[in-house]
């Protein structure tokens, strides 16, 4: 299995012979065997030249960049090797046909809501008092199917998220990580900083998986297609943020892996320190590699692989082979 490389140090990536070489400013140099690399996440100040970008394109390796505040700022997205005019046309036609676009968008919201409910019911069974929030989200779930516009659908999605995030204070056993309201850019408390960091990572994993398919990441269905950014990865991430990201947040906080000392609050907002990012990524990577028995394929697949499978399901729906049903945890 190819690896994800995370770079926190500042330095320079060079091509040496037929592989990658990272020369760190602190003198720590390391070869990065290019054949084993799936993608690179860059958090430090790293220099690249055109020669290295050409090499990364040849090897089909995406590089994702994060700024000082741990915000995702963009990707080096190599020339699309699975470019398909047929799929681009199908995707565009589905976006333009409001009924079809709504059908896919509803699935993203439904998948996110059902996965959120699975998590809440899990903790409810373990003694947390989440029954009223579960009932609230189940009520909103009934509203999804009857929404006739993307705007009203997103309004329902917003209500589901508000209720879901409101349950975090019952699940997390740490008084430093209470949830009042969702704040972004910059997050105003520790928990929001962790949620933002986690969500950014899930968006980029989804982007990397889309790159391995014929889908075009610029055309989303729930999130509007525009001139500025990828949007399909935001759509698919809705399904996997609770499944992968939020469960990792609960794990690192309830096990005491991350605490308030892992955050920097001397800025205009709160961010994770590099040490906190490393701790979170270590647990998140374990989650991505963890396997479950897939109910349809009847074999073990990793959580990371589930994202790719979701892309394939969307492709098949666009080609009118199968109905699209979002991934929902079956435990």
């Amino acid at each position: 299995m190819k690896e994800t490389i995370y770079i926190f140090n500042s330095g320079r990536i060079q091509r040496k012979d037929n592989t990658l070489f990272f020369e760190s400013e602190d003198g720590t140099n390391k070869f990065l065997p290019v054949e084993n690399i799936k993608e690179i996440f860059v958090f430090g100040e790293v220099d690249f030249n055109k020669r290295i970008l050409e090499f990364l394109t040849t090897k089909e390796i995406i590089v994702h960049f994060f700024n000082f505040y741990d915000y995702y700022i963009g990707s080096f997205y190599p020339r699309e090797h699975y470019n398909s005019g047929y799929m681009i046309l199908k995707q565009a036609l589905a976006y333009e046909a409001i009924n079809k676009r709504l059908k896919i968008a509803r699935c993203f919201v439904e998948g996110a809501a059902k996965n959120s409910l699975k998590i809440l019911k899990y903790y409810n069974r373990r003694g947390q008092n989440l029954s009223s929030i579960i009932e609230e989200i189940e009520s909103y779930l009934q509203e999804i199917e009857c929404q006739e516009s993307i705007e009203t659908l997103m309004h329902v999605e917003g209500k589901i998220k508000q209720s879901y995030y409101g349950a975090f204070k019952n699940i997390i056993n740490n008084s430093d990580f209470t949830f009042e309201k969702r704040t972004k850019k910059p997050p105003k408390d520790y928990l929001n900083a962790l949620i933002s960091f986690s969500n950014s990572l899930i968006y980029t994993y989804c982007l990397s998986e889309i790159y391995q398919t014929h889908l075009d990441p610029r055309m989303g269905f729930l999130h509007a297609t525009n001139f500025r950014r990828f949007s399909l990865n935001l759509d698919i991430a809705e399904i996997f943020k609770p499944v992968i990201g939020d469960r990792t947040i609960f794990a690192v906080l309830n096990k005491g892996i991350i605490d308030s000392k892992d955050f920097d609050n001397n800025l205009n907002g709160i961010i994770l320190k590099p040490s906190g990012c490393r701790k979170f990524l270590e647990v998140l990577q374990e989650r991505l590699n963890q396997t479950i028995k897939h109910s349809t394929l009847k074999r073990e697949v990793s959580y990371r692989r589930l994202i790719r499978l979701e892309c394939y399901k969307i492709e098949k729906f666009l080609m009118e082979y199968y109905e699209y049903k979002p991934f929902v945890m079956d435990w």
Side-chain angles (χ1 to χ4, degrees):
M1 180 186 296
K2 290 192 174 184
E3 296 179 3
T4 299
I5 302 294
Y6 302 99
I7 298 177
F8 289 93
N9 294 339
S10 297
R12 181 181 182 81
I13 290 186
Q14 304 173 58
R15 178 177 179 176
K16 274 202 174 181
D17 300 324
N18 205 29
T19 193
L20 299 175
F21 181 74
F22 179 62
E23 188 176 4
S24 170
E25 285 182 353
D26 64 9
T28 308
N29 301 329
K30 188 176 182 181
F31 279 99
L32 305 172
V34 71
E35 301 300 336
N36 293 334
I37 297 176
K38 181 183 183 71
E39 70 217 328
I40 302 174
F41 284 60
V42 178
F43 295 90
E45 297 296 327
V46 177
D47 294 333
F48 291 77
N49 60 24
K50 186 165 75 71
R51 187 165 175 257
I52 196 72
L53 294 178
E54 288 174 349
F55 188 50
L56 291 169
T57 297
T58 304
K59 298 299 179 182
E60 300 167 1
I61 296 172
I62 299 182
V63 186
H64 303 292
F65 297 94
F66 294 77
N67 68 11
F68 175 77
Y69 300 97
D70 305 330
Y71 298 149
Y72 169 78
I73 55 174
S75 300
F76 170 68
Y77 199 76
R79 182 184 61 237
E80 295 182 18
H81 54 289
Y82 289 125
N83 231 342
S84 162
Y86 176 75
M87 184 54 67
I88 290 172
L89 180 61
K90 287 289 184 183
Q91 211 172 328
L93 288 172
Y95 184 87
E96 286 293 317
I98 185 61
N99 286 340
K100 199 160 189 176
R101 182 183 168 191
L102 264 171
K103 189 177 181 64
I104 303 172
R106 287 193 198 106
C107 285
F108 294 139
V109 178
E110 179 191 329
K114 287 184 174 178
N115 283 322
S116 299
L117 280 169
K118 290 276 186 179
I119 290 170
L120 298 184
K121 288 178 179 176
Y122 170 84
Y123 283 100
N124 198 51
R125 290 195 297 273
R126 277 153 181 76
Q128 309 299 338
N129 183 16
L130 299 170
S131 299
S132 61
I133 297 176
I134 290 170
E135 287 174 14
E136 216 170 71
I137 295 178
E138 284 177 335
S139 166
Y140 295 143
L141 190 60
Q142 304 303 315
E143 298 179 21
I144 293 173
E145 191 57 35
C146 60
Q147 299 310 310
E148 296 296 333
S149 74
I150 295 296
E151 289 73 22
T152 60
L153 180 61
M154 292 197 84
H155 179 65
V156 174
E157 185 210 18
K159 291 193 293 185
I160 292 171
K161 278 186 179 172
Q162 190 175 354
S163 298
Y164 173 60
Y165 284 134
F168 279 30
K169 61 180 180 294
N170 297 59
I171 297 172
I172 297 168
N173 302 318
N174 189 328
S175 58
D176 288 334
F177 292 85
T178 56
F179 188 87
E180 297 299 328
K181 65 176 182 178
R182 186 78 177 96
T183 56
K184 310 175 190 175
K185 299 185 177 180
K188 297 296 184 186
D189 56 53
Y190 299 133
L191 185 53
N192 270 294
L194 207 48
I195 292 171
S196 291
F197 184 60
S198 173
N199 288 351
S200 293
L201 293 168
I202 304 298
Y203 295 144
T204 50
Y205 293 131
C206 289
L207 180 61
S208 288
E209 294 305 323
I210 291 170
Y211 182 68
Q212 301 298 323
T213 72
H214 293 105
L215 293 169
D216 190 318
R218 294 167 296 183
M219 270 184 276
F221 298 95
L222 177 63
H223 295 85
T225 296
N226 55 38
F227 294 103
R228 294 172 298 169
R229 62 178 183 178
F230 301 120
S231 51
L232 183 60
N233 60 323
L234 307 184
D235 287 356
I236 296 173
E238 293 299 333
I239 298 168
F240 292 99
K241 283 191 291 189
V243 176
I244 300 172
D246 297 342
R247 291 171 71 202
T248 303
I249 291 173
F250 302 147
V252 297
L253 295 182
N254 288 340
K255 292 179 181 177
I257 297 169
I258 285 179
D259 58 31
S260 58
K261 294 191 290 295
D262 290 304
F263 294 82
D264 190 340
N265 55 9
N266 294 318
L267 305 162
N268 183 29
I270 295 178
I271 62 169
L272 265 173
K273 293 177 181 174
S275 59
C277 292
R278 288 190 182 94
K279 291 177 185 176
F280 187 82
L281 282 166
E282 189 174 328
V283 180
L284 183 65
Q285 194 60 52
E286 286 175 12
R287 177 80 63 194
L288 289 165
N289 293 339
Q290 186 182 342
T291 60
I292 59 169
K293 184 72 174 289
H294 195 284
S295 56
T296 305
L297 299 178
K298 308 297 181 190
R299 61 179 170 84
E300 296 286 324
V301 297
S302 69
Y303 281 102
R304 181 64 190 258
R305 185 67 179 174
L306 286 173
I307 301 175
R308 176 86 63 84
L309 294 175
E310 203 68 17
C311 297
Y312 291 152
K313 283 158 57 180
I314 295 167
E315 278 191 345
K316 288 177 181 175
F317 174 74
L318 294 174
M319 291 187 290
E320 300 174 357
Y321 290 163
Y322 299 105
E323 280 296 302
Y324 171 54
K325 292 183 179 177
F327 168 76
V328 177
M329 292 185 289
D330 56 3
W331 50 262

